[in-house]
Amino acid sequence: MYIYNHYMVPNKSLRVLIIGSGGREHALLRACKASPLVAAVSVAPGNGGMEQEAVCYPLNVSDTAAIVALAKKLDANFVIIGPEVPLSVGVVDELEAAGIPAYGPVKAGAKLEASKNFTKEFLVRHKIPTAQGKRFTSSEEAVEYLTSQKFPIVIKADGLASGKGVIIAEDFDQACTAVYDMLDSGCFGKSGSEILIEEFMEGEEASIMLMVCEDRYVMLPASQDHKRVGEGDTGLNTGGMGAYAPAPVVTPEIERRVVSEIVEPTLKGLAEDGIRYRGTLYVGIMITAEGPKVVEFNVRFGDPECQVLLPLLKTDPVAVMYACATGTLDPKTVEFHDGSNIIVVLAAEGYPGTPRKGDVISLPSRIPAGTGIIHSGTVREDNGTITTAGGRVLGVTARGANLAEAAKSAYALISQIRFEGMHYRRDIGARQLRRDREV
Ligand code: AMP
Ligand code: GLY
């Protein structure tokens, strides 16, 4: 249950439209359903799980005019944008022009995710710690540069590539292949017509999500995603196979450094550059021997991190989002629960390559208290059965007094879920669980 918010938003006054179709948006929908402020909530385009809880409308999420038209048709007075694509094409600018408050940054702010070179230049200009990097549009010049570099090295497509546009090249040959694939063969289309070649940072990664209202912000507990498909962090990169929060690898000392060396200079830099930033700022950090450095910014909640973070908020997350969107955030009023949350992603056969689709999902009839099943790539058939329709199919969440308890409950619930080809990592949070056992 959320504690009543401190903003002057009357109960049952918001008619919310959520844009997106993943697990993140399903978690946002659950938060809306639990919020006393929300009178009605719809989703576009949604998924099989969300359809059981709200009306879903078909939508191409990069069509900003269609989003504005749908919001008007539904008489929505608050729109929550889940994914980066509509933000990067300026949906919030257009919704605001139509007088509809929306959670998420304007197009100029969304560039922090939509262009890695823009972000690198921003970080360097504002003296924020990050890996050294250089931009290229010519493969010849990029390869020439590589001849004098150390390996591994990181090659990044400049634009959005669904989390797949980053190659960690172990040697010169692999790096050249990545350069040619992106710049000459166009494997990421326009997103890879410009690249960033970046120094490899050694360390442990963590995600810090901020809910930002210009110079004010709420910092959510640190979380850790598991990007590789295989146990022990092996295999290909994915959108994320599981997460937990809080992540104690971000110690109070590291958190202080993240605030003073990264968060505050970033928000100050955005203001100096004339960018009015409201919405989530996801700071991906590498905890290196020299301290925390920025790996990437995202301009929306992480998926699956969102699914473990929203339930840690004691304050109504809808109230916080609405306050950010309308310029009224008072960070002092935001409180968190104790304990840990975990999510384990259940993926389809073939993921992160082409996933197998259309398999019937068998779900438990009873979901124990403190656990949950979040839908991502699912559809609801006309006869009511839920079938697989994407790479990341479901996310199983659990909450516990500590991470060990949360993990035990999540894996117990997973043992009751089945679909053909289902695979998942059995080691979500394992690194932290080992550390917990050592102390
Ligand atoms: P990005 O899309 O920039 O977050 O990159 C995807 C993943 O690649 C990150 O989550 C890291 O695991 C890895 N990565 C990106 N840049 C670097 C870097 N400079 N050094 C080491 N690993 C990196
Ligand atoms: N889980 C990583 C992301 O959302 O980008």
Side-chain angles (χ1 to χ4, degrees):
M1 192 52 198
Y2 299 123
I3 285 179
Y4 179 64
N5 75 90
H6 302 257
Y7 308 101
M8 302 321 255
V9 184
N11 279 351
K12 292 206 173 296
S13 63
L14 297 181
R15 294 176 302 281
V16 184
L17 170 62
I18 298 171
I19 303 299
S21 62
R24 166 183 51 215
E25 289 77 21
H26 197 181
L28 288 164
L29 173 60
R30 297 249 167 106
C32 286
K33 305 272 294 185
S35 168
L37 304 186
V38 176
V41 54
S42 322
V43 184
N47 61 36
M50 288 194 264
E51 266 180 42
Q52 296 173 312
E53 295 163 34
V55 181
C56 296
Y57 295 86
L59 178 79
N60 165 5
V61 297
S62 57
D63 185 344
T64 54
I67 295 173
V68 176
L70 181 62
K72 282 186 177 160
K73 182 178 127 186
L74 297 172
D75 195 23
N77 57 6
F78 187 37
V79 181
I80 300 173
I81 312 293
E84 61 279 15
V85 167
L87 295 168
S88 73
V89 290
V91 73
V92 172
D93 312 56
E94 289 188 34
L95 284 163
E96 285 190 352
I100 305 169
Y103 183 73
V106 292
K107 185 175 180 178
K111 233 179 152 183
L112 284 181
E113 178 163 0
S115 169
K116 296 208 187 275
N117 279 311
F118 169 84
T119 299
K120 187 60 69 183
E121 279 157 25
F122 175 91
L123 291 167
V124 171
R125 189 166 67 250
H126 295 291
K127 303 191 173 51
I128 298 164
T130 185
Q132 275 183 20
K134 214 164 150 38
R135 89 198 283 169
F136 294 94
T137 50
S138 139
S139 57
E140 225 170 287
E141 284 168 25
V143 168
E144 168 62 29
Y145 174 76
L146 286 171
T147 56
S148 63
Q149 297 304 303
K150 283 199 297 236
F151 297 88
I153 200 161
V154 187
I155 320 282
K156 299 185 172 183
D158 181 67
L160 296 178
S162 310
K164 296 184 185 127
V166 174
I167 305 289
I168 299 183
E170 298 298 335
D171 54 36
F172 179 75
D173 286 348
Q174 280 184 15
C176 290
T177 304
V179 164
Y180 292 131
D181 284 350
M182 290 186 200
L183 287 178
D184 297 346
S185 310
C187 72
F188 295 116
K190 210 165 152 272
S191 288
S193 62
E194 195 179 308
I195 61 168
L196 171 69
I197 301 188
E198 193 176 85
E199 160 205 10
F200 178 79
M201 292 185 283
E202 201 86 58
E204 191 162 342
E205 272 184 275
S207 315
I208 311 256
M209 256 147 275
L210 312 165
M211 296 172 80
V212 177
C213 180
E214 301 173 45
D215 58 342
R216 285 153 290 149
Y217 62 91
V218 173
M219 187 157 152
L220 302 181
S223 55
Q224 250 184 337
D225 188 8
H226 295 62
K227 297 209 183 192
R228 302 293 197 93
V229 69
E231 277 154 32
D233 294 325
T234 54
L236 294 172
N237 254 326
T238 69
M241 292 297 288
Y244 67 93
V249 64
V250 179
T251 59
E253 170 59 16
I254 291 173
E255 189 175 299
R256 268 194 295 280
R257 290 190 63 177
V258 168
V259 168
S260 65
E261 296 169 27
I262 298 175
V263 172
E264 291 187 343
T266 297
L267 299 186
K268 198 161 150 271
L270 285 165
E272 277 171 22
D273 294 351
I275 298 172
R276 195 212 65 184
Y277 199 99
R278 293 177 179 174
T280 302
L281 181 67
Y282 170 134
V283 187
I285 61 164
M286 188 72 82
I287 303 166
T288 72
E290 292 151 38
K293 294 187 181 181
V294 175
V295 179
E296 62 167 340
F297 285 132
N298 293 318
V299 299
R300 36 77 193 172
F301 286 114
D303 184 343
E305 293 95 322
C306 180
Q307 293 88 308
V308 291
L309 290 174
L310 293 183
L312 279 178
L313 273 161
K314 213 184 244 185
T315 309
D316 182 349
V318 179
V320 182
M321 287 188 276
Y322 189 73
C324 289
T326 52
T328 57
L329 179 71
D330 178 1
K332 288 192 303 296
T333 61
V334 179
E335 296 178 65
F336 298 96
H337 290 292
D338 293 331
S340 285
N341 279 350
I342 192 169
I343 178 162
V344 181
V345 170
L346 309 182
E349 189 175 306
Y351 182 72
T354 309
R356 179 186 156 114
K357 292 184 182 170
D359 290 304
V360 173
I361 304 170
S362 150
L363 292 165
S365 51
R366 205 186 66 83
I367 310 232
T371 63
I373 298 178
I374 302 255
H375 288 239
S376 309
T378 68
V379 289
R380 191 170 62 151
E381 306 291 346
D382 291 341
N383 65 5
T385 55
I386 302 283
T387 60
T388 62
R392 294 190 289 177
V393 177
L394 298 170
V396 173
T397 61
R399 154 182 232 155
N402 52 45
L403 181 59
E405 272 183 27
K408 196 164 160 230
S409 309
Y411 285 106
L413 183 54
I414 290 172
S415 69
Q416 299 178 52
I417 302 175
R418 233 169 254 107
F419 56 86
E420 193 66 36
M422 168 174 129
H423 65 98
Y424 59 94
R425 282 182 59 166
R426 287 164 180 77
D427 66 344
I428 302 303
R431 225 197 284 200
Q432 185 56 41
L433 288 169
R434 269 196 302 277
R435 279 193 285 255
D436 288 347
R437 279 195 297 271
E438 278 161 16
V439 291

